[in-house]
């Protein structure tokens, strides 16, 4: 797909957005009554469902419990119908495990876990439709679900991806852009702009562009 | 922003069909890039002007297929839709798409891109079952409609499409939006760029066509005066069956010429008689300016078109790269430049080069590679860079190459063949040779008469009365070049290739290495030399030939005279003979008396011989531009018109006599393989101008035979104006055909006649140092002598066919040499006048004689500078020359009328008439043509003869001064350049110090200086030669 022109001479991206424009965001909270908190978030065509249980007492092995804070348990999964071609394994593959770990670290930093010692908070995120920026949509959806559950956080966590094309940062990449060979960077931040978690992947060594992308992420959050 | 979705069906990497949903965001504000915009669009960058009649929105198919047309800068107000751009990207690939992008970026092209698919109101989603083409056309149309509405109907929008259904469907949907077909455009295009020329027919068809008489074969000859349009085919003798074709076939226009280049052997098909045209006779100013006037044409003549080319005659061409104006810029690493050939008859040549910037205004040697029928110009590649246009050296090289003259310095291998003659190792006579040769050193008084300072003395004379007083012995001794240049040696091959020594205005290129031409073969005074002699025993009174002896000899020239000295001796004036200056007075007187007596005897003989030839009808002709072939002996001096010394004629007459007798000898011995020279009688119709002009002055010229012509030319003498006779003789010369070398096996004996000299057989024998033909004749003569002595032929002689080929080659080279000399003279004339301001410098105003009348002007001859040229009576603005009462001329509106012997202009000042042979005053200016070399432009100043402030210079002085002046200027320029270099040196020294280079007098610069010195010496030496020769 190297032939795709990600940013035209007139400044339009493939889907008609300009470089700094985000996709359309739609959200609903409290979609499930049985869970403590739940949220549904659409960012363009990427759709995610996040569900939060807890805080509740430790389940399974009690040895993992911490006496001073709550343990956050995250699970990221993608629906088998979420991509254009049917996904064989909804969760448990390398990528999902990594995502789960990222989510866990993000929310351990954001949630005020010390308020709930020896307890556990479960966050389940499912991608219903995948169209780029899965991680950031997950973070945003999970934040909403945590808020819905009424669990205190230091601040809201906001996440966004950014790409870098022709010396121009592109905010909120869609799938076509992500797969079009752009170096991309996903950032999750707390409101006072302390970087919480970042995951970069791409072909360019992200030192120079990073600063620009970082800036762009800040702007978009 | 509104989010919509697009559903695409793509193929996955595994080849499965995949349904993909893509978001598609629409917005209201998409810049329209028009300055008529009412909605304050965010237009930055290029903006379409508002003063056009309409904007063009090309459909997808049009953009994809005819992008080249849309690239024309004449097309204004083009709106490319995003839909079309994407289609180009997908269907045509990256290259084409980049072209489109560059087009959009280029500020000189009046076109913009409209992102129609992101515009809320112009976007239309693809419907179910709608084909891609239909959807694209709908998108483009909706974009066109949006534009119309967006600009509030102030601008009409034209959508061009190839789709007839679209025209039917959308054509009348909206008022201000027109949908038209590309058909008309397409027709035009197919004419303009797809095929420039019709294809050539295959060789079999041509062959059959020529045999059946349907086609005519001939050599294409493009007119020098109208290279754009006029060309003619010189048909071969065989196809001249019908009298119509005897004048050749006209080929009118580039299209009919069909990619043939000057000199190609082509096949033409005659056009129907209704399309026959005539040649244009009016004078044209410069090139490219073609007047539509049909009334100036001569009688219609057979006109045809080229249908095939049998043989390309492409050679190396000198072209000039045009200065860059940015129009020809393409991508950086391969630039295609249209270079303009020096020869106007050659079309421009497209050259692909990466050095276009460096080659601007340079003259470059190129070759043509191909000429496709789709291309207006041929493709070529560059071979060698000559240098910047306008520089003396470049221009001289240009002249040489354009005439096909290659004069590299002699190679080491060639020089190694040469005998050595240096102070340490003087050359001596070989005893074996001395035994074979007749020794004339003691018995004969041999002397040479040449121009002053001549280096290559190739002829000497001797004359004495034999005991008894009844007989004279006349001897002509020619340098024995063939002794040194053996047949087949490298020097021989080189000499054959050159065929002649080339004399340019300021230099010469020798046929033989200098050690031969200036030393061992040169019959210098006081040294022993080999010679080839012809000696006649003549009856002292009747000059009837008693006996002729041909043979190799050893001579020692006693006196090396020059013409003025010889003439002075003949006239009995006091003259210092350098050879005698050291002798005692008595001895000196005796020797002087002996010499004078010999000269007198010689003159007496020559007069008689001349009289004999005159009775036969020999012509005395005058050549200025066209150098007279008849000027046998000293055709070097044709540049400097001969001073009328009788001794010139004496020497020439002896040479002609020797040539004639040698011709007799070799023709009798080898009736089928002797190299002779013939001068065919001219065609009578060529004399018409001469006869008419003479009639205007009241002289009758009889051109039926050479005798009659010679007599009537002698009669046509105007006592008031000697120039009239000169001009008439010039015209007669121009009417002559060229004298040619030929092999006797090829022509019947009655064709051997030499018209100009009135001799039945003639050849060239007397200048082997500078003409290869003479070398061949020497070899033939040697063979003839050997045969006579029954020694048998040493080796087989060239047969008839080989000899004929060689004769052709020598003829061609001779003509090339003449053209080169002519061009170099013209070059120097131009350089001379370039330095002068025509308005102020008195030397630019000169006296001129009218020698021909044309439709819109006259042809004049300027005797002072030997310049011939046209003078226009009517300029481009339609104004005519009007002479005031004092004779001064100015431009006024009026009309011109041509009569047989005068041309008159009528204007408000009255009528002024210019008659044939009138003297007028002209101003000479240089007409600068950077691509072709400059030419002189003559403008009439007054219709009265010019009175120069100082006494008129003799023509010869004018010429030689002119050359000297130009050479001096060139030298000054080079000196200045050197001074500049010297001035730059101290600046460099700082860097030199920095980089630890040795100071200026290092070895390199020393060697460089030595080299420069050597060059300068050679230059000056060449100059001396040129001026003296």
């Amino acid at each position: 797909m190297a032939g795709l022109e990600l940013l035209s001479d007139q400044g339009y991206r493939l889907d008609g957005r300009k470089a700094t424009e985000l996709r359309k965001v739609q959200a609903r909270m409290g979609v499930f009554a049985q869970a403590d908190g739940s949220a549904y978030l659409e960012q363009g065509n990427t759709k995610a469902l996040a569900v939060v249980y807890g805080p509740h007492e430790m389940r399974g092995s009690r040895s993992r419990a911490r006496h001073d804070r709550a343990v956050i348990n995250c699970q990221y999964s993608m629906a088998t119908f979420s991509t254009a071609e049917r996904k064989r394994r909804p969760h448990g593959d390398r990528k999902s495990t990594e995502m789960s770990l990222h989510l866990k670290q993000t929310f351990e930093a954001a949630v005020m876990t010390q308020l709930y010692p020896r307890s556990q908070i479960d966050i389940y995120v499912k991608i219903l439709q995948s169209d780029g920026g899965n991680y950031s949509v997950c973070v945003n959806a999970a934040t909403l679900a945590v808020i819905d559950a009424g669990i205190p956080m230091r601040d809201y966590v906001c996440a966004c991806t950014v790409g870098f094309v022709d010396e121009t940062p592109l905010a909120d990449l869609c799938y076509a852009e992500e797969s079009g060979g752009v170096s991309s960077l996903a950032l999750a931040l707390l409101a006072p702009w302390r970087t919480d978690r970042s995951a970069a992947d791409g072909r360019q060594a992200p030192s120079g562009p990073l600063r620009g992308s970082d800036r762009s992420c800040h702007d978009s959050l | 922003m509104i989010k919509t979705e697009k559903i695409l069906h793509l193929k996955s990497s595994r080849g499965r069909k995949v349904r993909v949903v893509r978001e598609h965001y629409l917005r209201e504000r998409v810049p329209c890039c028009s300055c008529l915009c009412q909605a304050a669009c965010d237009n930055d960058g290029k903006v379409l002007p508002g003063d056009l009649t309409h904007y063009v929105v090309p459909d997808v198919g049009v953009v994809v297929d005819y992008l080249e047309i849309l690239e024309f800068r004449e097309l204004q107000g083009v709106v490319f839709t995003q839909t079309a751009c994407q289609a180009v990207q997908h269907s045509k690939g990256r290259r084409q798409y980049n072209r489109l992008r560059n087009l959009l970026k280029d500020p000189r092209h009046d076109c913009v891109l409209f992102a129609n698919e992101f515009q809320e109101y112009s976007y239309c989603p693809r419907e179910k079952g709608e084909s891609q083409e239909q959807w694209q056309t709908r998108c483009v149309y909706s974009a066109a409609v949006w534009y119309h509405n967006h600009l509030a109907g102030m601008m009409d929008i034209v959508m061009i499409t190839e789709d007839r259904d679209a025209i039917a469907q959308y054509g009348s949907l909206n008022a201000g939006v027109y949908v038209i077909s590309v058909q008309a455009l397409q027709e035009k295009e197919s004419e303009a760029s797809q095929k420039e020329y019709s294809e050539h027919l295959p060789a079999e068809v041509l062959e059959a066509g020529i045999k059946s008489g349907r086609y005519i074969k001939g050599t294409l000859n493009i007119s020098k005066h109208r290279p754009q349009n006029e060309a003619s085919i010189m048909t071969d003798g065989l196809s001249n069956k019908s009298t119509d074709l005897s004048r050749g076939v006209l080929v009118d226009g580039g299209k009919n010429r069909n990619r043939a280049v000057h000199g190609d052997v082509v096949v033409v098909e005659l056009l129907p008689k209704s399309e026959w045209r005539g040649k244009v006779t009016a004078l044209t100013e410069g090139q490219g300016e073609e007047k539509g006037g049909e009334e100036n044409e001569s009688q219609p003549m057979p006109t045809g078109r080229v249908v095939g080319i049998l043989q390309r005659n492409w050679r190396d061409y000198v072209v000039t790269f045009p200065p860059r104006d940015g129009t020809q810029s393409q991508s950086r690493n391969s630039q295609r430049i249209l270079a303009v050939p020096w020869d106007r008859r050659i079309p421009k040549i497209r050259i692909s080069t990466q050095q276009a910037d460096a080659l601007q205004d340079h003259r470059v040697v190129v070759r043509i590679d191909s000429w496709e029928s789709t291309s207006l110009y041929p493709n070529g590649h560059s071979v060698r860079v000559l240098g910047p246009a306008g520089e003396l050296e470049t221009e001289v090289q240009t002249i040489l190459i354009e005439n096909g003259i290659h004069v590299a310095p002699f190679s080491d291998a060639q020089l190694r063949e040469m005998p050595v003659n240096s102070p340490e190792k003087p050359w001596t006579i070989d005893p074996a040779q001395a035994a074979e040769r007749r020794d004339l050193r003691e018995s004969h008084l041999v002397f040479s008469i040449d121009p002053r300072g001549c280096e290559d003395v190739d002829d000497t004379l001797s004359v004495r009365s034999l005991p008894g007083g009844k007989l004279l012995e006349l001897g002509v001794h020619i340098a024995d070049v063939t002794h040194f240049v053996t047949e087949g040696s490298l020097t021989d091959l080189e000499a054959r290739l050159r065929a002649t020594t080339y004399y340019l205005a300021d230099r010469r290129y020798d046929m033989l290495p200098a050690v031969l031409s200036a030393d061992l073969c040169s019959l210098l005074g006081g040294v022993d030399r080999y010679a080839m002699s012809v000696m006649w025993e003549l009856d002292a009174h009747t000059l009837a030939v008693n006996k002729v002896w041909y043979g190799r000899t050893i001579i020692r020239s006693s006196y090396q005279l020059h013409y003025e000295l010889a003439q002075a001796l003949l006239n009995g004036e006091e003259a210092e003979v350098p050879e005698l200056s050291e002798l005692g007075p008595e001895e000196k007187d005796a020797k002087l008396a002996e010499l004078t007596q010999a000269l007198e005897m010689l003159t007496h003989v020559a007069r008689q011989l001349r009289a004999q030839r005159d009775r036969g009808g020999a012509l005395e002709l005058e050549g200025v531009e066209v150098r007279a072939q008849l000027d046998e002996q000293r055709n070097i001096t044709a540049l400097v018109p001969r001073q009328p010394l009788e001794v010139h004629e004496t020497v020439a007459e002896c040479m002609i006599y020797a040539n004639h007798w040698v011709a007799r000898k070799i023709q009798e011995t080898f009736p089928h393989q002797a190299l002779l020279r013939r001068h065919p009688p001219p065609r009578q119709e060529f004399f018409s101008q001469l006869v008419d002009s003479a009639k205007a002055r009241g002289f009758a010229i009889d051109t039926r035979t050479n005798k009659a012509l010679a007599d009537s030319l002698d009669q046509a003498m105007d006592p008031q104006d000697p120039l009239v006779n000169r001009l008439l003789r010039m015209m007669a010369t121009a009417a002559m055909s060229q004298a040619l070398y030929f092999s006797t096996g090829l022509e019947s004996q009655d064709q051997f006649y030499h018209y100009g000299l009135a001799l039945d057989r003639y050849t060239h024998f007397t200048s082997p140092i500078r003409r290869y033909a003479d070398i061949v004749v020497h070899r033939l003569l040697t063979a003839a002598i050997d045969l006579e002595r029954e020694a048998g032929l040493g080796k087989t002689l060239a047969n008839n066919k080989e000899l004929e080929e060689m004769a052709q080659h020598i003829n061609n080279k001779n003509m090339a040499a003449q053209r080169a000399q002519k061009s170099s003279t013209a070059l120097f004339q131009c350089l001379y006048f370039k330095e002068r301001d025509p308005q102020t410098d008195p030397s630019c105003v000169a006296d001129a004689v009218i020698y021909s009348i044309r439709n819109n002007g006259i042809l004049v001859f300027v005797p002072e500078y030997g310049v011939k040229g046209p003078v226009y009576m009517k300029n481009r603005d339609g104004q005519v020359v009007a002479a005031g009462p004092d004779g001064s001329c100015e431009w006024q509106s009026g009309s011109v009328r041509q009569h047989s012997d005068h041309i008159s202009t009528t204007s408000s000042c009255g009528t002024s008439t210019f008659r044939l042979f009138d003297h007028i005053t002209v101003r000479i200016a240089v007409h600068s043509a950077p691509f072709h070399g400059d030419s002189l432009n003559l403008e009439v100043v007054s219709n009265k003869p010019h009175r120069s402030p100082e006494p008129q210079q003799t023509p010869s002085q004018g010429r030689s001064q002119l050359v000297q002046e130009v050479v001096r200027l060139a030298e000054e320029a080079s000196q200045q350049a050197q001074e500049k270099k010297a001035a730059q040196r101290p600046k460099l020294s700082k860097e030199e110090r920095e980089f630890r280079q040795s100071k200026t007098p290092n070895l390199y610069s020393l060697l460089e200086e030595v080299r420069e010195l050597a060059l300068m010496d050679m230059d000056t030496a060449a100059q001396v030669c040129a001026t003296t020769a």
Side-chain angles (χ1 to χ4, degrees), chain A residues 5 10 15-16 21 44-45, chain B residues 5 23 25 27 89 97 113:
Chain A
E5 193 186 35
Q10 284 71 34
D15 51 10
E21 284 170 349
N45 278 342
Chain B
E5 286 183 349
E23 296 162 90
Y25 290 91
R27 61 186 74 222
Q89 191 183 9
Y97 179 59
L113 179 81

Side-chain angles (χ1 to χ4, degrees), chain B residues 187 221 235 255 259 339 431 450 525 870 912 974 982:
Chain B
E187 272 165 21
N221 186 18
T235 47
K255 195 126 302 198
R259 292 176 277 153
D450 277 296
S912 38
S974 74

Side-chain angles (χ1 to χ4, degrees), chain B residues 544-603:
Chain B
V545 179
N546 202 15
K547 212 169 99 191
V548 194
W549 183 87
Y550 308 90
R552 298 189 127 162
T553 51
I554 298 175
I555 60 157
R556 183 189 289 152
S557 170
S558 312
Y559 303 100
Q560 203 179 336
L561 306 176
H562 51 84
Y563 286 117
E564 291 77 12
L565 181 59
Q567 189 65 44
L569 288 172
L570 275 175
N571 295 349
E573 293 162 18
E574 276 298 312
E576 186 64 28
V577 180
E579 281 87 348
L580 300 177
S581 55
E582 284 163 22
L583 296 177
E586 278 169 38
E587 206 176 355
K588 188 174 170 181
D589 284 348
K591 291 258 181 190
L592 205 58
E594 189 190 22
L595 175 62
T596 315
Q597 199 211 342
L599 282 173
E600 275 166 1
M601 205 187 295
L602 195 66
T603 315

Side-chain angles (χ1 to χ4, degrees), chain B residues 263-399:
Chain B
D264 286 353
V265 178
V266 298
V267 176
V268 289
E269 180 187 37
L270 285 185
L271 293 172
K273 254 193 174 142
S274 57
E275 292 176 37
W276 286 13
R277 307 193 52 187
K279 284 188 177 172
V280 180
T281 51
L283 300 168
T284 39
E285 291 181 60
Q287 186 211 18
E289 192 219 7
E290 294 296 340
K291 290 173 195 148
E294 309 272 314
E295 70 276 11
N296 289 339
E297 286 180 6
S298 66
Q299 284 290 306
M301 57 188 286
T303 305
R305 66 182 185 92
V306 174
V307 291
I309 294 175
L310 291 182
Q311 196 193 331
R312 287 290 194 188
N313 208 357
W314 291 344
R315 55 177 174 91
D316 287 0
Y317 298 108
V318 176
V319 301
T320 311
F321 275 74
R324 277 173 71 81
D325 52 358
T327 54
Q328 291 184 327
S329 71
Q330 290 282 329
S331 66
R332 224 152 133 236
N333 40 11
S334 95
Q335 280 165 323
R336 307 189 123 214
I337 304 290
L338 273 182
V340 187
W342 191 78
D343 190 339
R344 289 181 201 272
R345 295 173 295 189
I346 308 300
K348 287 181 188 172
I349 301 171
R350 189 186 299 120
I351 288 160
S352 205
T353 177
Q354 305 187 348
Q355 304 163 283
D357 287 321
L359 293 180
Q360 274 183 66
D361 286 324
H362 275 56
R363 296 219 198 278
V364 179
V365 182
V366 302
R367 283 191 193 129
I368 299 182
D369 299 327
S370 63
W371 196 345
E372 304 301 327
S373 61
T374 49
S375 159
L376 196 56
Y377 298 109
N379 293 315
H381 67 273
S382 58
V383 178
R384 186 153 66 92
V385 180
L386 293 180
E391 278 189 10
L392 178 62
E393 211 46 45
T394 312
E395 300 299 318
V396 170
Q397 286 301 319
T398 303
I399 290 170

Side-chain angles (χ1 to χ4, degrees), chain B residues 718-901:
Chain B
D718 189 336
Q720 267 105 52
D721 191 357
L723 264 173
V724 172
N725 188 262
R726 209 175 139 198
L727 278 169
L728 288 175
R729 284 185 194 277
M730 256 161 55
M731 283 180 215
T733 313
M736 297 285 160
S737 38
Q738 292 265 341
L740 297 167
Y741 298 105
F742 70 105
S743 168
T744 47
L746 207 78
E747 306 276 354
S748 60
Q749 190 149 0
D750 55 328
Q751 295 288 318
F752 295 179
Y753 189 65
H754 197 292
Y755 179 85
L757 296 175
L759 291 170
D760 57 349
R761 276 159 291 181
Y762 191 67
T763 192
H764 269 165
F765 167 72
T766 51
S767 295
I769 295 178
R770 56 187 177 85
R771 287 191 305 230
Y772 192 73
D774 300 51
I775 293 185
V776 177
V777 169
H778 274 232
R779 288 196 184 120
L780 283 166
L781 183 62
T782 314
I785 297 163
D786 287 350
L787 212 61
E788 214 164 60
R789 291 195 310 192
E790 313 223 329
L793 284 177
K795 45 197 169 262
T796 51
L797 285 166
N799 64 26
N800 177 34
K801 197 163 166 249
E802 287 166 357
L803 206 58
E804 182 57 31
E805 274 169 18
M806 193 190 295
Q808 279 300 333
H809 166 73
I810 297 173
N811 285 336
N812 289 341
K813 285 289 172 184
N814 270 337
M815 274 185 253
Q818 282 178 27
R819 281 198 303 267
Q821 186 174 4
K822 220 172 104 179
S823 322
S824 80
T825 311
L827 169 70
F828 273 85
Q829 284 168 344
C830 288
L831 288 171
Y832 178 80
F833 287 109
K834 215 170 192 174
E835 294 297 324
R836 285 161 171 70
D837 181 9
Q839 299 303 328
T840 54
D841 200 311
S843 58
C844 286
V845 177
D847 190 56
V849 190
I850 301 169
Y851 72 91
S852 181
I853 303 280
R854 292 294 161 94
N855 270 0
N856 56 347
I858 49 180
L859 297 179
V860 299
F861 172 66
V862 182
E864 190 181 343
Y865 299 109
V867 176
K868 275 179 179 176
V871 170
Y872 300 97
M873 290 285 115
K874 191 170 187 173
N875 68 7
R876 289 174 207 205
D877 310 325
Q879 290 178 316
V880 298
V881 169
D886 58 340
S888 63
C889 293
E890 53 187 10
W891 294 104
Q892 295 228 331
S893 54
S895 62
V896 177
R897 283 196 62 191
Q898 181 201 7
H899 305 275
S900 64
D901 65 338

Side-chain angles (χ1 to χ4, degrees), chain B residues 5 132 144 191 257 301 440 448 466 487 499 543 593 657-658 725 816 850 867 910 958 981 1003:
Chain B
E5 286 183 349
Q132 187 174 7
E191 209 174 70
R257 204 182 292 165
M301 57 188 286
L440 304 179
S448 65
L466 292 177
E487 194 164 6
L543 290 185
Y657 202 54
N725 188 262
I850 301 169
V867 176
K981 250 188 246 161
L1003 193 59

Side-chain angles (χ1 to χ4, degrees), chain A residues 1-3 5 9-10 12-18 21-24 44-45 84-85 131 174 176, chain B residues 1 3 5 12 14 16 18-19 21-25 27 30-31 89 94 97 101 105 113 115 118:
Chain A
M1 297 286 274
E5 193 186 35
D9 295 327
Q10 284 71 34
Y12 292 106
R13 290 158 67 174
L14 288 172
D15 51 10
R17 285 182 290 156
K18 301 249 169 139
E21 284 170 349
L22 299 179
R23 291 179 287 181
K24 188 177 178 180
N45 278 342
E85 281 178 301
D131 189 25
C174 69
Chain B
M1 257 196 337
K3 182 195 155 189
E5 286 183 349
S12 76
R14 286 184 211 137
R16 260 187 263 163
V18 179
R19 199 174 141 113
V21 182
R22 290 251 174 91
E23 296 162 90
H24 191 87
Y25 290 91
R27 61 186 74 222
V30 171
Q89 191 183 9
R94 171 168 296 182
Y97 179 59
R101 277 175 65 174
K105 275 183 207 157
L113 179 81
F118 298 143

